[in-house]
């Protein structure tokens, strides 16, 4: 019999619960003992680890967030912290760990695996900045939440002949902003991957105004070189350059807290089950992800060493569409 543990780490993402459920239930089917770790790597170090049965994951597939809790844990970045974590796992004879999380969490998973503990990562973050999975758990739901907000803001923007600057999450990655901007029909999209000067955006907005548009939407990624705050300041002092009156909305954590949609529930279920299969066949120190519609594994060493690139064609398309 095997004993495995599962944890969720970093920023929570809609679908994490579906992944936990899949790990617990597919593990139980193999007659393994499954342990849930509370609050990510903090719980691993503190030893807040409990056995989970099939009923412990009842009625959670539709819930956002994570029933195990999540945390940012600076101590895990130290070797001493990771040694303490390994001690807690070994004390319970746990011989494998599933880490559901994003870039930072998988860096931690890799560091743990380098110290000889078998780990399998499950790609989960709304940022979609993780190499090894074309799309990660939570992205689709977060995107739909951002899109709904953009649609609503567009309605009021049109009524009042206004421009809206909408800041979306994504840390240093422009994926959420780019995709929600394209799908929401934005007049301008500002992402970290492309340097955009405030004057360029002002020109876009003025152009939209002069072409007779009733509104203008600018989607700004939080990690953009000139972020929403800076752009707002610029536009406040250069009102005449816009044409439109401007309002600013920061979507923030609203994008993270949603109920997972069908895509994320299914992705999370498939990835969670795949992680258990990896542990079963002894394929450790990999990330399970989705690539070209297939479940794949990528070595964690490659995942942490490679930057996920954004599709430059889509950036060009976004610019063409904003006429
Ligand atoms: P995400 O996984 O969503 O990207 P973070 O970047 O906050 O979130 O990372 C989550 C946690 O992963 C951190 O709080 C830390 O415990 C762990 N982690 C991040 N980077 C490292 C690292 N270089 N070494 C070990 N652990 C790390
Ligand atoms: O990684 C997910 C994410 O929501 C990022 O988009 C954002 O930059 C960050 O987490 C916010 O972190 P916190 O929840 O700690 O404010």
């Amino acid at each position: 019999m095997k004993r495995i543990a599962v944890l969720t780490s970093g920023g929570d993402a809609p679908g994490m619960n579906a992944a936990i459920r899949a790990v617990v239930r597919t593990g139980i089917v193999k007659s393994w003992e499954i342990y849930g770790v509370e609050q990510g790597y903090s719980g691993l170090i503190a030893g807040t680890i409990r056995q989970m049965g099939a009923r412990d994951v009842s009625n959670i597939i539709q819930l956002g967030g994570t029933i195990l809790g999540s945390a940012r844990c600076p101590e895990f970045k130290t070797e001493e912290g990771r040694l303490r974590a390994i001690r807690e796992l070994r004390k319970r004879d746990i011989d494998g760990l599933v880490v559901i999380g994003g870039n930072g969490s998988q860096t931690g998973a890799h560091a743990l695996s380098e110290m000889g503990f078998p780990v399998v990562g499950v790609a989960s973050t709304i940022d979609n900045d993780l190499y090894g999975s074309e799309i990660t758990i939570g992205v689709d739901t977060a995107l739909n939440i951002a899109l709904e907000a953009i649609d609503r803001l567009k309605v009021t923007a049109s009524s009042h002949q206004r421009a809206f600057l909408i800041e979306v999450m994504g840390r240093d990655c422009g994926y959420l902003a780019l995709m929600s901007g394209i799908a929401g029909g934005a007049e301008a999209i500002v992402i970290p991957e492309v340097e955009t000067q405030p004057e360029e955006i002002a020109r876009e907005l003025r152009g939209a105004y002069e072409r007779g548009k009733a509104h203008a939407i600018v989607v700004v990624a939080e990690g953009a070189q000139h972020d929403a705050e800076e752009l707002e300041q610029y536009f406040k002092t250069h009102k005449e350059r816009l044409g439109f009156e401007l309002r600013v909305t920061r979507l923030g954590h609203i994008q993270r807290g949603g109920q997972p949609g069908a895509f994320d529930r299914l992705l999370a279920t498939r990835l969670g089950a795949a992680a258990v299969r990896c542990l079963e066949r002894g394929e450790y120190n990999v990330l399970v992800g989705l690539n070209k519609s297939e479940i794949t594994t990528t070595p964690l060493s490659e995942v942490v060493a490679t930057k996920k690139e954004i599709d430059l064609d889509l950036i060009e398309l976004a610019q063409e569409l904003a006429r």
Side-chain angles (χ1 to χ4, degrees):
M1 190 180 64
K2 256 189 184 283
R3 289 179 173 199
I4 65 164
V6 56
L7 62 80
T8 48
S9 166
D12 65 349
M16 278 183 161
N17 281 326
I20 297 168
R21 174 177 174 270
V23 170
V24 171
R25 293 209 173 151
T26 58
I28 284 173
V29 165
K30 297 181 196 310
S31 305
W32 294 359
E33 283 182 11
I34 317 297
Y35 291 80
V37 182
E38 285 168 16
Q39 311 295 339
Y41 292 127
S42 304
L44 208 52
I45 292 172
T48 45
I49 301 171
R50 59 183 154 98
Q51 194 175 347
M52 296 181 86
R55 292 286 71 74
D56 292 318
V57 290
S58 289
N59 210 13
I60 66 165
I61 196 167
Q62 75 282 14
L63 301 180
T66 156
I67 59 156
L68 288 175
S70 190
R72 319 262 188 208
C73 173
E75 198 184 344
F76 199 73
K77 293 186 180 177
T78 67
E79 195 175 353
E80 173 52 30
R82 292 194 296 277
L83 277 172
R84 285 180 59 190
I86 290 177
R87 269 201 297 276
E88 292 299 327
L89 289 163
R90 297 245 192 261
K91 231 196 289 187
R92 293 166 179 79
D93 286 331
I94 292 169
D95 37 33
L97 175 69
V98 177
V99 173
I100 303 168
N103 234 330
S105 304
Q106 302 308 337
T107 308
H110 178 243
L112 198 67
S113 73
E114 289 280 277
M115 292 169 72
F117 198 86
V119 189
V120 173
V122 170
S124 179
T125 164
I126 66 160
D127 299 337
N128 209 25
D129 58 350
L130 187 60
Y131 181 82
S133 194
E134 280 168 1
I135 190 142
T136 53
I137 297 167
V139 172
D140 184 68
T141 304
L143 206 47
N144 278 301
I145 294 168
L147 202 51
E148 190 186 337
I150 292 170
D151 289 347
R152 288 180 183 205
L153 291 169
K154 218 168 174 177
V155 170
T156 179
S158 273
S159 306
H160 290 268
Q161 297 258 312
R162 281 175 176 160
F164 267 83
L165 209 73
I166 305 166
E167 188 196 80
V168 302
M169 276 190 164
R171 203 178 286 191
D172 303 324
C173 176
Y175 183 90
L176 276 183
L178 180 61
M179 294 307 186
S180 61
I182 292 175
E187 274 62 36
I189 302 171
V190 188
I191 56 175
E193 291 80 358
V194 179
E195 176 149 17
T196 314
Q197 296 301 328
E199 304 82 64
E200 287 174 57
I201 302 165
R203 259 199 311 278
E204 294 286 351
L205 295 189
R206 183 87 216 174
Y209 182 76
E210 283 168 3
R211 290 197 301 279
K213 289 205 177 189
H215 61 258
I217 299 293
V218 185
V219 178
V220 186
E222 63 173 341
Q225 285 142 19
H226 302 284
D227 64 10
E229 210 177 319
E230 192 187 330
L231 291 175
E232 184 180 12
Q233 283 312 316
Y234 174 86
F235 292 141
K236 265 189 187 156
T237 46
H238 298 87
K239 281 189 180 140
E240 72 295 344
R241 293 201 186 166
L242 297 188
F244 297 104
E245 195 188 335
L246 184 84
R247 291 288 186 274
V248 180
T249 299
R250 171 179 280 180
L251 298 185
H253 291 81
I254 281 175
Q255 290 153 102
R256 239 167 59 186
Q259 193 175 10
F263 182 89
D264 280 322
R265 294 186 204 188
L266 294 170
L267 177 63
T269 300
R270 292 176 74 195
L271 295 188
V276 170
R277 284 198 300 274
C278 280
L279 288 172
E280 185 178 33
R281 62 175 178 264
E283 187 182 1
Y284 304 139
N285 313 333
V286 292
L287 178 83
V288 292
L290 189 78
N291 289 293
K292 298 189 172 43
S293 305
E294 301 281 342
I295 304 293
T296 59
T297 57
T298 309
L300 282 172
S301 54
E302 195 181 330
V303 169
V304 302
T306 320
K307 188 173 158 49
K308 187 178 199 172
E309 295 300 335
I310 210 154
D311 186 344
L312 293 175
D313 289 345
L314 283 174
I315 297 175
E316 213 170 290
L317 177 64
Q319 284 160 351
E320 284 171 5
L321 291 172
R323 290 300 95 216

